[in-house]
Amino acid sequence: MVDDWDDFLIPYKQAVDELKVKLRGIRAQFLKIDGRSPIEFVTGRVKPVDSIKEKMVRRHIQEDRLEEDMEDIAGLRIMCQFVEDIYQVVDLLRKRTDINILEERDYVHNKKPSGYRSYHIIFEYPVQMLDGEKVILAEIQVRTLAMNFWATVEHSLNYKYKGEFPDDLKARLERSAEAAFHLDEEMSEIRDELQETKKQDRKTDVRKSSDEDSHLQ
């Protein structure tokens, strides 16, 4: 049983703080090496006590099973520019030795009925406490900026309507989710076309340089 919520949440807060530093460090390394990172930015939070208690009631989670049955007390979110970046980030997380991935849920290409898209990773993370190591459950959500915009607005509306959307609003939200995903796809296509144009321009420059050298000989 939880006697002191502040004490109970200490390892979760420490995990979020540590992982934010580590993930932002990955971004910095990518920027230094390649000038671009699949990680646009990272946020994290520990679920408020009121939200924990509400979810315990909604999911029928017993207090003595809280550490085992609630996966998102510690939560991090990684935002990406492109859909392809999501899977690059997921591959990076799979290779890490400081987290033990338990479950992956791909809502990017297997969207929820509401239209929600994101990639969820449930994992174990060891936290070094004064009395030794404590392994906690945590969640990372990886999504594009467009997906995050939609999910943030939908969440605030969901709170207002208590999950009971009118049918017309529900349909509009689903359409807006698809529009956000089409935007992601369009931006990826534009990026690919620009990269291909740059490649062709470089090839043209190389040919011109070679022709000029041959005339000088």
Side-chain angles (χ1 to χ4, degrees):
M1 304 295 288
V2 179
D3 297 320
D4 187 319
W5 281 101
D6 288 336
D7 286 345
F8 176 81
L9 294 175
I10 284 174
Y12 295 95
K13 292 176 180 176
Q14 184 171 323
V16 169
D17 289 342
E18 290 179 7
L19 286 165
K20 282 195 295 186
V21 170
K22 291 178 178 180
L23 293 168
R24 289 167 181 169
I26 294 174
R27 169 177 162 76
Q29 291 177 59
F30 268 105
L31 291 174
K32 184 176 181 180
I33 295 170
D34 195 37
R36 183 191 172 274
S37 172
I39 297 174
E40 185 67 12
F41 63 91
V42 180
T43 62
R45 63 96 186 101
V46 173
K47 189 183 285 292
V49 175
D50 288 346
S51 296
I52 293 174
K53 291 180 177 179
E54 184 275 329
K55 188 170 184 178
M56 287 171 63
V57 173
R58 179 162 42 88
R59 296 289 181 87
H60 306 289
I61 297 173
Q62 299 300 315
E63 199 166 305
D64 59 351
R65 290 284 307 172
L66 186 57
E67 293 179 326
E68 293 81 11
D69 293 348
M70 193 172 294
E71 304 160 338
D72 64 342
I73 296 176
L76 293 107
R77 192 167 293 157
I78 301 175
M79 256 62 71
C80 307
Q81 288 187 354
F82 302 101
V83 173
E84 295 84 359
D85 293 338
I86 293 174
Y87 293 97
Q88 185 178 355
V89 169
V90 170
D91 285 339
L92 288 170
L93 294 173
R94 287 173 181 156
K95 294 172 184 176
R96 294 191 66 86
T97 59
D98 57 345
I99 67 174
N100 177 35
I101 295 177
L102 301 177
E103 186 177 355
E104 298 181 27
R105 302 167 186 164
D106 187 351
Y107 299 122
V108 176
H109 289 105
N110 301 284
K111 64 178 180 178
K112 289 187 175 183
S114 64
Y116 173 89
R117 295 181 191 264
S118 186
Y119 200 105
H120 292 197
I121 294 176
I122 309 300
F123 62 97
E124 292 177 327
Y125 182 76
V127 179
Q128 303 303 319
M129 306 292 289
L130 286 176
D131 55 353
E133 182 178 275
K134 182 176 181 61
V135 178
I136 66 161
L137 286 179
E139 179 186 60
I140 293 178
Q141 298 176 357
V142 192
R143 56 178 66 155
T144 65
L145 297 167
M147 292 173 192
N148 188 61
F149 171 72
W150 183 90
T152 302
V153 174
E154 192 270 349
H155 180 77
S156 64
L157 292 173
N158 199 22
Y159 181 80
K160 178 180 178 181
Y161 286 94
K162 298 180 180 179
E164 297 296 329
F165 289 126
D167 289 341
D168 62 329
L169 181 57
K170 187 184 299 183
R172 290 171 67 186
L173 280 169
E174 290 176 23
R175 289 197 299 270
S176 65
E178 282 305 297
F181 190 62
H182 287 318
L183 175 62
D184 278 331
E185 292 179 318
E186 183 71 14
M187 296 305 288
S188 290
E189 290 178 9
I190 291 171
R191 180 196 59 175
D192 292 343
E193 289 176 14
L194 288 173
Q195 289 177 340
E196 184 61 31
T197 299
K198 286 183 179 179
K199 287 181 184 178
Q200 294 300 325
D201 288 345
R202 283 196 293 268
K203 289 179 181 179
T204 301
D205 290 342
V206 170
R207 284 198 299 269
K208 286 182 178 178
S209 177
S210 178
D211 290 341
E212 289 172 357
D213 289 342
S214 63
H215 288 316
L216 292 172
Q217 293 176 357

